[in-house]
Amino acid sequence: MKIAVMGASGRTGSLIAQGLLQADIEVVALGRDARRLAVLQCQGAQVALGNADDATYLAHAFEGADAVYTLLPYDLGQPGYLASQERQSTAITRAIAMAGVGRVVQLSSLGADQTGATGMIRSLHTHEARLGGLEDVDLLLLRPSHFFENFGPVLPTVLASGVHADAVDPAVKLPMLSTHDIADAAIAALLEPHWHGRLIRELLGPCDLDFVEVTALIAAQASRPDLRYQQISPAELLARLREAGFATDVAALCVELVEAFNSGLIHASQGRSAATTTPTTLQDALPDLFAMYTEWPQRSDQAGTVSPS
Ligand SMILES: NC(=O)c1ccc[n+]([C@@H]2O[C@H](COP(=O)([O-])OP(=O)(O)OC[C@H]3O[C@@H](n4cnc5c(N)ncnc54)[C@H](OP(=O)(O)O)[C@@H]3O)[C@@H](O)[C@H]2O)c1
């Protein structure tokens, strides 16, 4: 069995490619940077380098695959988000048809059912519809919620300032989950031969959390009871994202996304069940995120060490 994995150096794709290799599946790992795919190549994956908006490259990489894992990658610093996503969506859909792939697992998102005003998720609504138009393709649309991993890059600022600042309304509880659980769901679907047609599966994490609860869990992990959540205005969020290097249109789409969460426009529609609830908790995920994004906890041989109690 052969499976092609887009974004194989990214968060979900790398876990999926590794999981498939461990199951002795022939893997084609797609991405743009050979260095970021070198480990998978050493583990036996075939590497296919190219851009996700190039249908000919994708069709070549998908050729002979029994199934493909697809996603619409983006670069937060690159302007022209929606146009770029449109080019990728068109190329991926064409490539699936050109290569005659019969089975597709697409990473979509909660909110992709909405026709607009969902910020960065707008492109996934269009993409889902485009993929749905393919004939003779079994299609699973995975619709995960907010990734726990989104909290990783903000940890250093939260720890330094004592404030977790975001525009998300503290009264709003959101489903959120680990990318490990997305990878497990994708791997199971890619390997399972008995599903057919066009399926949608929401992935909602173990429970809904508001951002005050998220901040409390970060505070517990850091042994920093002083940490607090502060809701900032959409304008303030926009300014902070621009300062952090987000392209103007991407920052505006991020703000629209937050407003869609706050208004309830983006919401789960499948309800909690064994199929939508995933096991990894934020408490489980935080130690890795701290290890990746902060120097906390400091090594015990360093001067001035604070041991988390
Ligand atoms: N963050 C969330 O809360 C959330 C929630 C729901 C859904 N999603 C969806 O998750 C998707 C991102 O998945 P992810 O987090 O697994 O990916 P990721 O970690 O952002 O990685 C993106 C991958 O795509 C590759 N890539 C980037 N630009 C590319 C291009 N132009 N052509 C070819 N490859 C490219 C990257 O490798 P190179 O840069 O080395 O090429 C990398 O392997 C998005 O579509 C998003 O809508 C996110």
Side-chain angles (χ1 to χ4, degrees):
M1 191 178 193
K2 177 169 159 178
I3 296 178
V5 179
M6 288 187 69
S9 56
R11 290 179 292 196
T12 58
S14 60
L15 297 170
I16 293 166
Q18 266 158 18
L20 292 172
L21 287 169
Q22 277 159 18
D24 277 336
I25 303 297
E26 201 182 329
V27 170
V28 183
L30 282 77
R32 295 171 302 178
D33 185 339
R35 283 167 306 178
R36 297 189 65 205
L37 295 166
V39 172
L40 284 174
Q41 192 166 30
C42 288
Q43 291 168 344
Q46 178 192 326
V47 165
L49 295 180
N51 201 300
D53 62 9
D54 179 346
T56 309
Y57 148 70
L58 291 174
H60 186 65
F62 291 170
E63 215 161 271
D66 299 286
V68 297
Y69 174 73
T70 55
L71 50 76
L72 298 184
Y74 55 79
D75 179 348
L76 296 170
Q78 202 64 39
Y81 174 89
L82 290 174
S84 160
Q85 294 264 297
E86 184 73 8
R87 284 195 300 277
Q88 292 179 5
S89 167
T90 308
I92 291 167
T93 311
R94 277 191 57 210
I96 290 166
M98 284 159 74
V101 176
R103 183 166 279 263
V104 176
V105 175
Q106 164 70 40
L107 178 59
S108 185
S109 175
L110 214 64
D113 54 327
Q114 301 297 328
T115 52
T118 53
M120 302 178 73
I121 296 168
R122 286 197 220 177
S123 51
L124 289 166
H125 177 76
T126 320
H127 185 50
E128 283 195 359
R130 189 172 275 126
L131 288 177
L134 285 166
E135 283 176 15
D136 301 324
V137 174
D138 293 321
L139 172 66
L140 172 63
L141 301 167
L142 289 178
R143 287 188 183 160
S145 44
H146 194 77
F147 295 179
F148 291 152
E149 286 74 7
N150 297 340
F151 295 115
V154 302
L155 288 176
T157 311
V158 174
L159 294 177
S161 66
V163 177
H164 179 195
D166 205 312
V168 176
D169 182 339
V172 171
K173 280 190 188 288
L174 299 175
M176 44 186 94
L177 85 170
S178 161
T179 51
H180 287 265
D181 291 342
I182 301 175
D184 287 348
I187 290 169
L190 289 162
L191 296 179
E192 162 62 60
H194 297 302
W195 59 272
H196 298 286
R198 181 173 182 269
L199 306 178
I200 295 172
R201 181 172 171 197
E202 291 181 351
L203 297 171
L204 305 177
C207 63
D208 297 357
L209 292 171
D210 62 48
F211 271 41
V212 174
E213 291 167 326
V214 168
T215 307
L217 291 170
I218 292 171
Q221 177 64 31
S223 299
R224 284 278 307 274
D226 60 303
L227 299 186
R228 64 187 173 86
Y229 180 66
Q230 184 193 345
Q231 185 182 15
I232 55 174
S233 69
E236 176 68 20
L237 176 64
L238 188 73
R240 290 188 186 205
L241 293 175
R242 290 289 295 127
E243 203 177 312
F246 284 46
T248 311
D249 63 319
V250 178
L253 288 166
C254 287
V255 171
E256 186 178 276
L257 176 64
V258 171
E259 287 173 329
F261 276 124
N262 286 347
S263 70
L265 177 67
I266 298 177
H267 60 272
S269 54
Q270 294 185 336
R272 286 206 169 270
S273 69
T276 59
T277 297
T278 52
T280 309
T281 64
L282 182 55
Q283 290 97 316
D284 295 332
L286 280 173
D288 278 354
L289 294 179
F290 269 71
M292 253 185 279
Y293 290 98
T294 75
E295 307 214 332
W296 190 278
Q298 295 170 30
R299 288 202 330 261
S300 58
D301 56 350
Q302 287 175 330
T305 292
V306 179
S307 333
S309 49

